[in-house]
């Protein structure tokens, strides 16, 4: 990835972060680590590199949100035809409306693989555009800063850092999914007891 970024520069960095925000299987974290290493070596300037990565990621987030927002009426009609799924959809919309900002923020950097799906769900659940954008941009800035900073600080051992970052991200995603499953199971058991 470092060689590609050295050759194609900032447009490639923006394209990679844009594509990753749309759930395309492109390792954006490797591009950010590589960008940080290229900044450390003087091949890229720090502010333009950050801006290119941020612009691509922000545009991808907005596309996902607006796609979810515009398909929401058709999806809502299809899901509410069944009483059970209609209740689940209403509950998900309430949850995202009440606590959605934190979920959007965490899905930008801590649970980054969930980000593209949170974008879509945020639009579908009609989370306010301003609230979505504020939390998404804050989280994306942190994500880009963390990975570029790691690439900058550990430019000499980039392959090792990339492996650790990938493993940590995967582990955090699995922990979040386990916690979510445990929470849902707990709620289901609490309802049965009532």
């Amino acid at each position: 990835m470092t060689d590609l970024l050295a050759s194609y520069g900032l447009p490639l960095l923006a394209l990679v972060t844009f594509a990753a925000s749309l759930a395309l299987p492109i390792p954006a974290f490797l591009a950010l680590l590589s960008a940080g290493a290229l900044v450390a070596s003087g091949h890229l300037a720090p502010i333009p590199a950050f801006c290119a990565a941020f612009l691509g990621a922000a545009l991808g987030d907005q596309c996902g949100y607006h796609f979810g927002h515009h398909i929401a009426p058709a999806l809502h009609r299809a899901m509410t035809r069944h009483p059970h799924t209609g209740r689940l959809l209403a509950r998900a919309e309430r949850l995202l409306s009440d606590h959605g900002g934190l979920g959007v923020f965490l899905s930008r950097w801590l649970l980054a693989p969930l980000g593209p799906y949170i974008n879509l769900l945020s639009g579908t659940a009609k989370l306010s555009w301003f609230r979505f954008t504020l939390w998404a941009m804050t989280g994306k800035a942190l994500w880009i800063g963390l990975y570029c900073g790691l690439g900058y600080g550990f430019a000499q051992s980039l392959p090792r850092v990339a492996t650790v970052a990938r493993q940590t991200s995967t582990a955090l995603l699995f922990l979040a999914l386990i916690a979510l499953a445990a929470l849902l199971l707990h709620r289901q058991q609490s309802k049965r007891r009532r």
Side-chain angles (χ1 to χ4, degrees):
M1 183 61 77
T2 306
D3 293 337
L4 286 171
L5 274 178
S7 299
Y8 298 103
L10 302 178
L12 179 63
L13 183 59
L15 183 63
V16 166
T17 57
F18 174 78
S21 295
L22 295 176
L24 295 176
I26 295 174
F29 77 96
L30 281 178
L32 294 173
L33 289 170
S34 297
L38 289 170
V39 167
S41 68
H43 287 89
L44 287 178
I47 292 175
F50 179 88
C51 290
F54 186 80
L55 179 64
L59 287 175
D61 287 348
Q62 291 298 315
C63 286
Y65 174 86
H66 287 290
F67 181 74
H69 186 74
H70 292 298
I71 66 163
L75 185 62
H76 196 274
R77 279 192 304 274
M79 291 182 76
T80 54
R81 287 186 190 140
H82 306 285
H84 180 67
T85 55
R87 285 191 302 272
L88 287 175
L89 180 62
R91 188 176 303 154
E93 288 173 342
R94 256 191 331 272
L95 181 65
L96 193 56
S97 177
D98 294 343
H99 306 290
L102 183 61
V104 170
F105 175 73
L106 293 176
S107 70
R108 302 304 100 170
W109 63 279
L110 185 60
L111 304 168
L114 295 177
Y117 307 104
I118 295 293
N119 295 343
L120 185 65
L121 185 58
S122 296
T124 303
K126 299 198 183 325
L127 183 68
S128 83
W129 174 82
F130 179 77
R131 187 173 175 197
F132 169 80
T133 301
L134 177 68
W135 286 103
M137 288 188 169
T138 304
K140 282 294 184 181
L142 180 60
W143 175 64
I144 292 165
L146 283 172
Y147 278 100
C148 285
L150 283 172
Y152 182 88
F154 296 98
Q156 301 303 318
S157 55
L158 199 56
R160 189 178 315 151
V161 171
T163 301
V164 170
R166 181 181 303 125
Q167 291 170 345
T168 302
S169 179
T170 302
L172 287 171
L173 178 60
F174 281 124
L175 287 174
L177 291 174
I178 290 169
L180 179 62
L183 178 66
L184 292 174
L185 183 61
H186 175 71
R187 286 185 179 177
Q188 187 177 23
Q189 288 175 348
S190 295
K191 284 182 184 178
R192 287 182 186 166
R193 289 181 197 143
R194 291 179 192 169

